[in-house]
Amino acid sequence: MSAIFLQSEVENPYSFYQKMTKEQPVYWDETNKIWAIYSYAACVELLNNTAATIPVLTANNELNRSATTIIENLARLSNGIQHEIAKETAQILFSYLKTVGIHTILEELLPERLLQNQINWVDLVCKKLPVLTVLKSFDFNKKDSDFICKKIAQLVKIMQPHKTAEAIEEINKVAEEIYSITERHFVTLPFYEALIRKISDLYPISQTEIFSICVSNLIGLFIQSYDAGSGLLSNSLLQLLSKENFSKDKVDKICIQKMVVETLRFDPPIHNTRRIASKDIQLNNSTIKKNDSLLLVLAAANRDPNHFANAMNFDTERNNNHDHLTFGTGGHMCLAKHFSVTIATETLYYLVDNYKNISISGNEIEYEPMINARLPKAIWISLL
Ligand code: HEM
């Protein structure tokens, strides 16, 4: 049984996860030489275990200087003291992020003339709104925002553990321009000097290094918001429109927010994350050896019946839905838990508030050929 598969090739990964959580929650996949972890308790234990470290992306000579600087400085990709510094920086940057202007962005993304026909919700809104919200919030001008929004899909390939020659070429093509736009903009931000001072008071590193950490982690916010943000907007719309969950007259913001949180548990955009054991780890009855690879299947943990009652049911009223592990937990937990829920809630509320009739075309949803994320390729809807 392979623990690793493309989401595009599996119609229902949840029945496989359910079986594994029950029968082999800590499973050694001999073919892929990786431990796959399915139960809620075991995932939480590893996410909180400092001996389960982030696999550091190996330096690749073919990546250009800007791409290398970004990879070397991202909080998401670092461990130890380097992670501490990068995370502190990312957290300060993130504290300036506001969920303002979502309505204005939606009005721009959904002009009247486009709504005469069916629209592809994924391309038109999901892949743009989260990144544009971050850019707008930091006051990037329209030209720079449009450029970054258009090219970010190429840059996110930087997060792939194994990059093809084609991916490297795409990353190199956009990394320099995105880095220089962000660098130029960063020095105009009102909190720029205070941020540099704060980090240099806390850690003994040069101003030049701090500057690179700041610029890289600001770019990190664009990168992190792209796939996951898009997937949450897609999957929560699918839940909203599925017959049982949707009765337009009864929908208010609180009800939509509950639906978004339950979507994060039930059908999350991110299905797994990886770690490497930096020493032997005892887990359930298995010994994970130093240097072994780990695949933490968060989407399986989210349906663990030992943590969630009637875990296979979509139930917005279950009282512990927010315990889901979709944002991880522990030292590397996502910074954008509330931000992401707010953007999805505001977006869906905008739809139900502005359109009497939202209908989805009957075609089966296809998913992107990705291992770590389950992201719809397209969702065709009409808005009247
Ligand atoms: C639905 C949307 C999102 C999901 C499901 C998600 C999920 C995650 C997960 C699972 C991690 C931890 C990875 C691990 O421990 O291995 C993470 C980390 C992170 N996320 Fe998110 N994320 C989302 C949106 C965002 C957005 C919109 C931003 C920024 C604007 C963001 C910024 C970050 C950052 C900076 C980290 C790294 C934290 C660290 O390593 O210390 N995320 N995210």
Side-chain angles (χ1 to χ4, degrees), residues 279-333:
K279 54 183 182 201
D280 286 5
I281 298 173
Q282 203 58 41
L283 187 66
N284 293 13
N285 296 320
S286 304
T287 306
I288 293 164
K289 288 269 174 225
K290 181 175 173 180
N291 295 330
D292 279 355
S293 296
L294 298 156
L295 182 81
L296 278 57
V297 189
L298 310 171
N302 285 350
R303 297 220 192 181
D304 186 335
N306 287 328
H307 196 87
F308 298 99
N310 300 315
M312 297 303 274
N313 296 351
F314 187 94
D315 176 3
T316 56
E317 298 304 320
R318 188 184 292 101
N319 59 19
N320 64 346
N321 287 339
H322 51 267
D323 284 358
H324 66 75
L325 294 182
T326 301
F327 293 109
T329 191
H332 277 274
M333 185 174 177

Side-chain angles (χ1 to χ4, degrees), residues 64 106 108 223 245 293 314 339 346 365 373:
N64 64 22
L106 279 164
E108 281 168 23
I223 294 177
N245 300 326
S293 296
F314 187 94
F339 174 79
E346 291 294 331
I365 300 294

Side-chain angles (χ1 to χ4, degrees), residues 101-227:
I102 292 176
H103 278 223
T104 325
I105 297 174
L106 279 164
E107 276 160 18
E108 281 168 23
L109 296 178
L110 295 171
E112 245 345 273
R113 69 188 157 75
L114 282 184
L115 303 182
Q116 315 298 322
N117 299 308
Q118 283 203 333
I119 57 160
N120 178 359
W121 174 246
V122 176
D123 279 351
L124 211 57
V125 174
C126 305
K127 289 186 178 174
K128 294 182 182 159
L129 183 94
V131 183
L132 286 176
T133 309
V134 177
L135 289 160
K136 196 180 169 77
S137 178
F138 285 111
D139 277 328
F140 279 80
N141 66 33
K142 179 152 170 42
K143 182 167 162 269
D144 291 343
S145 296
D146 287 349
F147 180 84
I148 294 175
C149 182
K150 209 159 139 206
K151 304 291 180 184
I152 193 70
Q154 279 171 253
L155 189 64
V156 296
K157 298 195 167 140
I158 213 167
M159 307 302 279
Q160 292 173 356
H162 308 289
K163 300 176 187 61
T164 60
E166 204 186 6
I168 291 174
E169 202 187 319
E170 287 196 52
I171 296 164
N172 284 342
K173 246 191 231 162
V174 297
E176 246 157 59
E177 181 82 28
I178 294 185
Y179 197 94
S180 74
I181 290 176
T182 311
E183 192 174 37
R184 230 184 305 123
H185 189 73
F186 176 61
V187 296
T188 68
L189 293 170
F191 56 84
Y192 145 68
E193 282 175 352
L195 169 52
I196 303 258
R197 210 174 316 116
K198 170 108 200 257
I199 302 297
S200 81
D201 285 349
L202 288 171
Y203 305 100
I205 48 171
S206 72
Q207 301 264 330
T208 322
E209 276 176 283
I210 297 176
F211 190 76
S212 307
I213 297 172
C214 291
V215 175
S216 302
N217 279 286
L218 183 48
I219 295 173
L221 300 186
F222 317 148
I223 294 177
Q224 291 292 130
S225 62
Y226 180 70
D227 279 336

Side-chain angles (χ1 to χ4, degrees), residues 47 54 75-78 83 87 90 94 97 130 134 217 220-222 224-226 228-229 232 264 269-270 273-275 298 325-329 331-337 339-340 343:
L47 288 166
I54 296 279
R76 172 75 183 80
L77 300 176
S78 54
H83 175 241
K87 187 174 173 176
F94 192 78
L97 203 54
V134 177
N217 279 286
L221 300 186
F222 317 148
Q224 291 292 130
S225 62
Y226 180 70
L232 178 59
L264 281 161
I270 302 295
T273 187
R274 295 185 188 225
R275 295 290 189 268
L298 310 171
L325 294 182
T326 301
F327 293 109
T329 191
H332 277 274
M333 185 174 177
C334 182
L335 307 180
K337 202 169 173 167
F339 174 79
S340 305
I343 348 189

